Each structure stands twice: as C-alpha cells, then as structure tokens.
Amino acid sequence: MRSQRPPNREPSTARPQPQVDTIGVYTGTTEYGFSSMGDGTTLQITADGNWSVTIAPVSAAPGLAASGAGDGVFLYDGSARKITATHDGSSNFSLIEETREAFTMGLLVNEIGADSGTVPLSSGPSAIVVSADGNWTLLAE
C-alpha cells in the first residue's frame, strides 16, 4: 500500500525500484511519478550505450489497446468491468490500474510467465500500465 509521507519528515533514503531494468535493447513505454503524492520526482539512468527518453503527460497515452508486446501505458475511460488478460512471455507480467483514488493498490495482475485470467477493472478515468516481456491481449468486457 502506498502511503503519504507525514509532514516535517525527511524523505526516505531507500532506493526506488527501477521502472525499467533490462539488459540489452529496450523499447517501451512505462509510467513515472504516479505515486509521488505531489513530491518532486527525479530520473536516474544508468547505461553503457546510447539511450533516449521522452517524457509526456499521461493524457498523451493512447486508449486501451486490445493487444501489444512489451511495456505500455493506456488510458481507460469506461465503466467498471472485468478485464481478461493473456501473456505469452517467460518473465514478469503485470497490470496496474492507476486511478485518482489516493492510497489504492491498483495491482490487477502480477504473474511470472505465460498467463491468462480475468480481474475486476474500476470505472475510469484511469491509466492501465502493462509490464510484459512478451505478447499480451486485454479485453474489457
């Protein structure tokens, strides 16, 4: 569960979990700063080759895609439904639903390897963050 830092406390010195932790070539889209709770955010990149980063507001994300490969961020503005997700990769597959609700745990799926299942989806607006090493499908029904 995310929690807001109490006022007049020093920020945590714990290292945040990496948004992307990949060996080799990476191309994808991921979220950044959703859980900052109004605090400033920083970006640290460690690489031994050329890289580029594009930072855009979440409003620039496309609508929920029916299928894709790798990481992605999508907007959902529909009613509460179920979402059926499949994944054919061999590593971690996760779906996170980021809403305007404070202190919510938006983790919908967190599995290793190939997976298929159905989970509840809140009514929008929200951002759906997909982390995957393979092909995936999403069907909101």
Side-chain angles (χ1 to χ4, degrees), residues 26-29 62-75 83-90 92-95 109 113-116 128-140:
Y26 172 82
T27 301
T29 301
L64 186 62
S67 63
D71 298 348
V73 177
F74 305 95
L75 298 179
I83 189 165
T84 299
T86 66
H87 175 243
D88 70 1
S90 59
N92 194 58
F93 172 58
S94 68
L95 290 180
V109 175
D115 184 59
S116 179
I128 306 299
V129 181
V130 178
S131 296
D133 73 328
N135 300 304
W136 48 264
T137 63
L138 303 175
L139 176 61

Side-chain angles (χ1 to χ4, degrees), residues 91-113:
S91 291
N92 194 58
F93 172 58
S94 68
L95 290 180
I96 298 173
E97 180 182 24
E98 294 287 351
T99 67
R100 293 180 181 173
E101 304 270 336
F103 309 111
T104 60
M105 178 59 173
L107 185 63
L108 302 177
V109 175
N110 188 24
E111 297 294 335
I112 303 294

Side-chain angles (χ1 to χ4, degrees), residues 5 11-20 30-46 51 53 55:
R5 181 170 35 96
S12 170
T13 57
R15 291 185 63 149
Q17 294 297 317
Q19 296 301 110
V20 175
T30 190
E31 59 87 15
Y32 184 72
F34 280 151
S35 62
S36 68
M37 301 298 287
D39 292 341
T41 58
T42 60
L43 184 65
Q44 177 180 343
I45 298 170
T46 305
W51 55 268
V53 173
I55 298 174

